[in-house]
Amino acid sequence: MEKKLNSSAQFSSWTPLNNSPQNMQLFEERTNLVLRWFDLWTDRQRKHMLHTVLTRCTKPQLRYCRNLLTEKLPMTQVDFTAMLPRFLSLYIMSFLRPLDLFSAAQVSWHWRVLSEQDCLWAGRCMRQGWFLPYTPGEKEFGAWKKQFLSCVKTLGKVTRCEAAQQHWEINQPYDEEEKEERLKENLTRQMIRAKIQEEKRLALTTRKVWGSRTKLVVSGVGNIENQANIGTICKTSGSPDLSQSTSSSLTLEKNMGRSCSRASGQLFHYVSRDRAIQSTCTYTHPATCLLLVSNRIPAYELVLSGAKADVIVVLYDHQGTHSALLAQVEGAISGRTFQRLGLLAPGGTEEIHLFHNCCLSDRTLLSTEHRDFWEKLSCLVAPAEQGGGIDIFSPCAASAFGVALLQKLAALTGLKVWAPMGLATGSFQNILSEWSDGSISPIGFSEPKPGGQALRYISEPVLHGWCRHAEWMEEALGEMKSCLEHQLQQVGLQARGRALGYFLWEKICLEDLCLSEDLSMALTEGLTVLSKQEETRPLEFLANFLMKWSDERKATKENQVSNVSLLSGSPQTQLDWRGAIVRELQHSEFLYISRLSGLMKAYQEPLTAALNSNREILSFADINVVLSPVSQILDLNRGFKADLDARLQQWGAEQCVGDVCLKLCRHLRVYTNYLNNYTTALSTIDKCRETKPLFRAFLKRTDRTLATHMLCLQELLLCPVWRIHEYTTLLQALMLHTHASHPDYTHLSSALTTLQQYTQFIKKLKRNCERDRLLEETQQMIQGCPRLREGNRQLITSQDAALLNCSNDHVSESLRIYEHVADVSLFLFTDILVLTLKQKQHAPFTVVHRSTHTFLASVALANLTLRKITYSRYVKYAFILEGPSCPWICGTEREEEMEHFLCVLSSAMKTTLT
């Protein structure tokens, strides 16, 4: 009967209630069947099944489910110190105050152990200057907490008089002894203060070096301009005389803060110890060079930090105008003249991007704006007979159009104009090549100086480091500039004032020191070496070190002189410029191919091998999108290098390489496909890194290793883009040294034309991507803003301002009182002006704030009128924007901000009307 029951009930829905073993067997079989179905269902089907089952359950069954879920996934009343790792728990507790840590120690034994760790109390004690008088043992516990408690208990108590002053209890009676002590102490302090002020006033009146009436200017090393008189600075900035202040360091900080607000660029840096010693020891040298630096230069902060002591640096806005830059320069130099004028702005071999949408080239130099600008600027430079000249950091001496620009600029200004010859590849490494002026015929340059002109302005180690890593540092500093620019300016201003005020007046007697730059540098290096080793006779060691340092400097200068003489003393017949350029082309091609080969070996081969062995990291389609164009470029350039090697083996005066370059240009369709596919490749890498853990782990293992030249995949994919620019520069230099009758001239001209077209194509793609990115970021930033991406609209600049309101329009304009209504931001586009309401939200217990923008209004530039408000005692730096519906009265904090914004706005309005 039992066997018959099994066979008949095995696949039926009937449950034998009177047979417990059979009932349990059927229940287990059906449960397993349902679980197998459950494993095959989708997530949506599983959720639907759970919902259906739970709705059929009774309350006791639901309570059981609740208890089971709470046990598996506890949601409340969880001890985070038991769930998190120990280092995370200690990190959380590090934000607590000492009183909170004492309270946390009373929660439980485990919390007490964590709250008494030395890592939580050592920093608090050290910041107060409470150090342990002994070294704790390995197993000693809570030593720093006990030290904190003992120091807090033994803190000095205030007197009854001081306590009364703190709590505003003025009528408390004084003790006679306490009154006498107070009176003696105040008299002593007044005598000391008066004596210090008298000494400083005498030092300022007798010191001749500080007698200039120049304003404070930001120098590259973060120091004051060399001939700036502190008393003059105080009077210029509207502050009281230094002798009337109660504290010299506070007065210096205050004056520096006022005068530095008018300085160009408002970039400030912390002053390190060795740079501070060098800068203070070089105050006696007059400034002989003026360097104009555009803020579009990558990592310009490093350039400013390496400027020499006799150089005044003016950092100007790339979005500005000629008149704004002239006003900035005049305010920085105060009517003085300089021996050299340097210009560091983005540019190439044929043109210089002086401002936004304003290029300086052979064709545009004689325009009204450029001609007036350079005529006024050249008046600040000494005549050519006295060694005056202009140094342009763009490689204009590498092309015929660039040489024509140099010649026209020299004829316009009456000065010699120098520029790099472009015989070096890499980001901004053209500056380190030979420099030449445009006064010689294009066939041969005489007296080339490797980086000599640039070293007049910037110290050699800083210049070399910046030239090689400028592009990489720009990527790293981009986000920090946009997010922390305002905070860094304020913090740098305060720190600079305090550091210089304390250092100049408290640590050293500046009026007693008169050291040269070489001596200060030698003393700094000698003291640094001396501090790293134990010496029983330090004075003797320092004397020997200075002797060795002097001999090494002399030998280095002799070597430099001999190297320059070898180059400058030889005429064009001894210098094969065409051969040097072709060898540079071959060497840079070898480095380029090695990078592409490293890219293929490090990425394509492992990914393809994993795909063939059924351990897929990246799909075949994704590998083709990212790496297939690179393999085609690598094959093309290997053939190009082989042709170059063959020509260099038989090099001569009549040897040709133009046909080899033209052969490369005929196959540049590979680069075209690569450039069109570049954005898609980057997006594919980002998508696969986010969605595929294996690929993310593979990139983590492979990126920035020796096989990839310490670069990541995205950085290696930029190499073909850079190589096109290098080809253009080198071929321009080769064309410059190739005579029109040379058999290689025609092929080189055709190849150069093709490469220049590709360069313009790359610039166009880059501008489009930058324009789209800025529009998208602005669209996301402004809440409630209508669609901004229309036509060819571009973002020009933005300016923070205060929205003002005038309730007494019937009175004279000079007597009107304006009320600050709100903070606004003005976003200027090529065709419209957008006004947004700006709100700041400060984070508690920190100085960080977050800004939000709400759309207020937008007006077309064609319907906008602009009018300045005359300065009065009630308003400064204000202007009126009149739209079709209503006017807006706006004001800025500084005059430079208003002038810059109004210049750019006027130019945009004129462009729109024309």
Side-chain angles (χ1 to χ4, degrees), residues 423-663:
L423 305 184
T425 54
S427 59
F428 294 95
Q429 291 194 45
N430 295 311
I431 299 175
L432 302 177
S433 65
E434 288 78 11
W435 284 56
S436 176
D437 59 356
S439 60
I440 311 299
S441 62
I443 301 302
F445 291 103
S446 63
E447 300 184 0
K449 299 179 181 180
Q453 302 300 112
L455 294 178
R456 291 175 179 262
Y457 305 88
I458 307 169
S459 60
E460 187 172 0
V462 176
L463 181 64
H464 280 261
W466 175 77
C467 289
R468 286 175 171 82
H469 307 290
E471 295 290 345
W472 311 108
M473 288 183 290
E474 174 67 10
E475 298 294 334
L477 293 175
E479 289 297 325
M480 188 180 71
K481 287 180 186 177
S482 59
C483 299
L484 300 176
E485 183 174 7
H486 180 70
Q487 287 85 351
L488 289 177
Q489 288 179 359
Q490 297 298 328
V491 173
L493 172 62
Q494 298 172 3
R496 185 168 178 262
R498 292 191 184 101
L500 285 179
Y502 177 75
F503 186 79
L504 294 179
W505 301 112
E506 301 294 337
K507 285 297 184 183
I508 64 172
C509 297
L510 190 62
E511 62 273 9
D512 296 337
L513 292 180
C514 185
L515 302 178
S516 63
E517 182 179 1
D518 293 341
L519 182 55
S520 62
M521 188 181 302
L523 287 175
T524 303
E525 294 181 5
L527 293 175
T528 303
V529 176
L530 182 61
S531 62
K532 295 180 181 179
Q533 54 188 357
E534 298 181 358
E535 286 290 337
T536 57
R537 305 175 69 180
L539 294 178
E540 183 178 351
F541 170 80
L542 188 60
N544 295 332
F545 178 84
L546 292 177
M547 291 295 296
K548 294 180 181 179
W549 191 86
S550 177
D551 296 339
E552 292 176 359
R553 292 278 293 184
K554 186 183 297 184
T556 304
K557 289 183 179 180
E558 290 177 356
N559 292 335
Q560 293 178 353
V561 170
S562 61
N563 292 335
V564 170
S565 63
L566 288 176
L567 290 174
S568 60
S570 301
Q572 169 63 20
T573 56
Q574 297 181 9
L575 292 176
D576 183 13
W577 289 109
R578 297 188 76 251
I581 297 171
V582 175
R583 282 189 290 272
E584 174 63 26
L585 178 62
Q586 181 199 30
H587 177 67
S588 58
E589 188 72 16
F590 170 76
L591 297 178
Y592 174 56
I593 291 176
S594 65
R595 287 188 176 183
L596 294 184
S597 301
L599 171 64
M600 303 305 292
K601 289 181 181 179
Y603 293 97
Q604 187 182 39
E605 293 180 3
L607 292 175
T608 306
L611 185 65
N612 295 334
S613 59
N614 294 327
R615 294 191 300 270
E616 178 181 333
I617 299 177
L618 206 62
S619 64
F620 180 75
D622 292 336
I623 294 176
N624 281 339
V625 169
V626 177
L627 298 174
S628 178
V630 180
S631 62
Q632 299 174 6
I633 291 176
L634 182 59
D635 295 337
L636 175 63
N637 284 85
R638 281 174 176 169
F640 176 63
K641 184 180 178 301
D643 295 339
L644 282 179
D645 294 340
R647 296 299 172 88
L648 277 175
Q649 289 179 358
Q650 301 176 357
W651 185 254
E654 299 298 323
Q655 184 63 273
C656 298
V657 293
D659 54 341
V660 177
C661 298
L662 193 60
K663 178 182 176 182

Side-chain angles (χ1 to χ4, degrees), residues 62-78:
L62 291 176
R63 291 194 191 98
Y64 173 77
C65 294
R66 183 191 62 187
N67 296 334
L68 182 62
L69 290 175
T70 303
E71 182 181 356
K72 296 294 184 181
L73 297 173
M75 299 299 293
T76 59
Q77 298 178 358
V78 179

